[in-house]
Amino acid sequence: MEIKLFCPGTIANLSCGFDVMGTCLDTVGDEMIVRKSNQKGIRITKIVGADLPLETEKNVAGVAGLALLEKLDADFGFEIEIYKKIKAGSGIGSSSASAAGAVFGINALAGNRFTRKELVQFAMQGEVLASGSAHADNVAPALLGGFTLVRAYNPLDIVRIESPADLFATVIHPQIELKTSEMRSVLQPMVSLKSAIAQWGNVGGLVAGLYTSDYQLIGRSLHDEIVEPLRGKFIPHFESVKKSAMENGALGCGISGSGPSVFALSQGIETAQKVAAAMRNIFEDTDIAFEIHVSGINSEGVKII
């Protein structure tokens, strides 16, 4: 009748993979309780840790859940409690954690009618509410774990990629909010052929590096020709953080999602922690509050606690 979930944070885009690539974090995430109710529909009964709407149609978890409920044709409903630990607008998948957790929990209590991969299409409806775009680069890794590549959106075609064993993520979150919808508005609708070719090569290189556990190839591929030059200027000290991360051994460094969080991938936990210390040193000299996370890659996605 009731389950408690860990709803993981995610890093989307991964520099070169705008709207098509993402990965799932192991130590960063929300918690959620989903329970069956005799009353049809979905009710958000409690939100702790964030000032978010309880109205079902205004909450990403509610909207994603309603999309799934429409297909389930159930004669019962659900209540959802959300315990937010990922700040909204952080760039590490706050909305996708809620959307993914809601559809996973509802599906589990309804008899697992859909696979995790099939649940992505419902969770994407929550992203429409959050950002105005039905992108899957956060919700796919949140549900499937590991790394994911969205090969196509129509029809939805997602490839899950297992993470190399010694790959770790460092994420620094400056305590400012950059809304995904606003950060999408700064993007240019047209890109040069030269930039597009470079980006295709990097996406292919990143996928190949992940499959072959070629850490140096992964690092060479974590380069963004198209989005980072437009968004980086909105993130305080972005260039300094990136330079410091690379000087301290990171394979690559870039903007997490739409920012303001900045991520780095490293080979080995020791290097990831060294990168975290370097990032911390930069922001300790500012008046901007911040959080730093060091995490392995979550291979499971949303999980029952």
Side-chain angles (χ1 to χ4, degrees), residues 121-190:
Q121 61 186 317
F122 305 113
M124 286 170 63
Q125 299 309 307
E127 294 288 64
V128 174
L129 177 65
S131 67
S133 171
H135 56 97
D137 50 339
N138 284 109
V139 292
L143 281 163
L144 302 177
F147 285 79
T148 55
L149 166 69
V150 185
R151 190 206 65 81
Y153 276 93
N154 189 24
L156 192 62
D157 186 2
I158 298 169
V159 180
R160 184 190 179 280
I161 306 168
E162 194 65 52
S163 173
D166 207 25
L167 197 62
F168 288 83
T170 305
V171 183
I172 184 165
H173 172 212
Q175 302 286 291
I176 64 171
E177 183 176 354
L178 296 180
K179 292 184 178 179
T180 302
S181 56
E182 294 175 355
M183 287 299 97
R184 294 185 83 87
S185 69
V186 306
L187 303 180
Q188 299 296 323
M190 305 291 288

Side-chain angles (χ1 to χ4, degrees), residues 45-247:
T45 59
K46 181 187 292 186
I47 300 175
V48 176
D51 183 19
L52 297 170
L54 288 169
E55 295 93 333
T56 304
E57 293 80 6
K58 296 180 180 179
N59 186 289
V60 294
V63 169
L66 287 173
L68 173 57
L69 201 59
E70 184 178 345
K71 294 292 185 181
L72 287 174
D73 192 27
D75 59 357
F76 49 87
F78 298 90
E79 295 178 352
I80 299 175
E81 297 179 10
I82 304 172
Y83 297 84
K84 294 298 294 181
K85 299 182 181 181
I86 309 173
K87 290 182 173 62
S90 63
I92 48 178
S94 178
S95 60
S96 61
S98 294
V103 297
F104 178 91
I106 290 170
N107 187 57
L109 293 177
N112 287 310
R113 298 255 300 274
F114 295 92
T115 67
R116 284 180 180 251
K117 191 172 287 189
E118 290 170 336
L119 290 175
V120 172
Q121 61 186 317
F122 305 113
M124 286 170 63
Q125 299 309 307
E127 294 288 64
V128 174
L129 177 65
S131 67
S133 171
H135 56 97
D137 50 339
N138 284 109
V139 292
L143 281 163
L144 302 177
F147 285 79
T148 55
L149 166 69
V150 185
R151 190 206 65 81
Y153 276 93
N154 189 24
L156 192 62
D157 186 2
I158 298 169
V159 180
R160 184 190 179 280
I161 306 168
E162 194 65 52
S163 173
D166 207 25
L167 197 62
F168 288 83
T170 305
V171 183
I172 184 165
H173 172 212
Q175 302 286 291
I176 64 171
E177 183 176 354
L178 296 180
K179 292 184 178 179
T180 302
S181 56
E182 294 175 355
M183 287 299 97
R184 294 185 83 87
S185 69
V186 306
L187 303 180
Q188 299 296 323
M190 305 291 288
V191 299
S192 72
L193 182 60
K194 181 181 177 181
S195 294
I197 291 170
Q199 201 85 333
W200 295 333
N202 284 323
V203 173
L206 179 55
V207 171
L210 292 171
Y211 269 112
T212 59
S213 295
D214 186 334
Y215 292 94
Q216 297 310 308
L217 177 56
I218 291 170
R220 294 197 303 274
S221 303
L222 290 171
H223 176 70
D224 184 1
E225 285 276 330
I226 297 171
V227 178
E228 186 177 295
L230 299 173
R231 287 180 169 175
K233 58 189 176 184
F234 293 95
I235 301 172
H237 311 291
F238 171 68
E239 293 298 338
S240 297
V241 169
K242 182 174 181 177
K243 182 174 183 289
S244 181
M246 300 302 294
E247 289 175 346

Side-chain angles (χ1 to χ4, degrees), residues 260-292:
S261 289
V262 177
F263 81 94
L265 295 183
S266 301
Q267 182 178 3
I269 184 67
E270 294 84 3
T271 302
Q273 291 171 338
K274 184 179 178 183
V275 169
M279 290 178 169
R280 182 180 292 109
N281 285 340
I282 291 174
F283 270 88
E284 280 180 342
D285 292 333
T286 73
D287 58 358
I288 302 172
F290 63 93
E291 294 177 343
I292 292 184

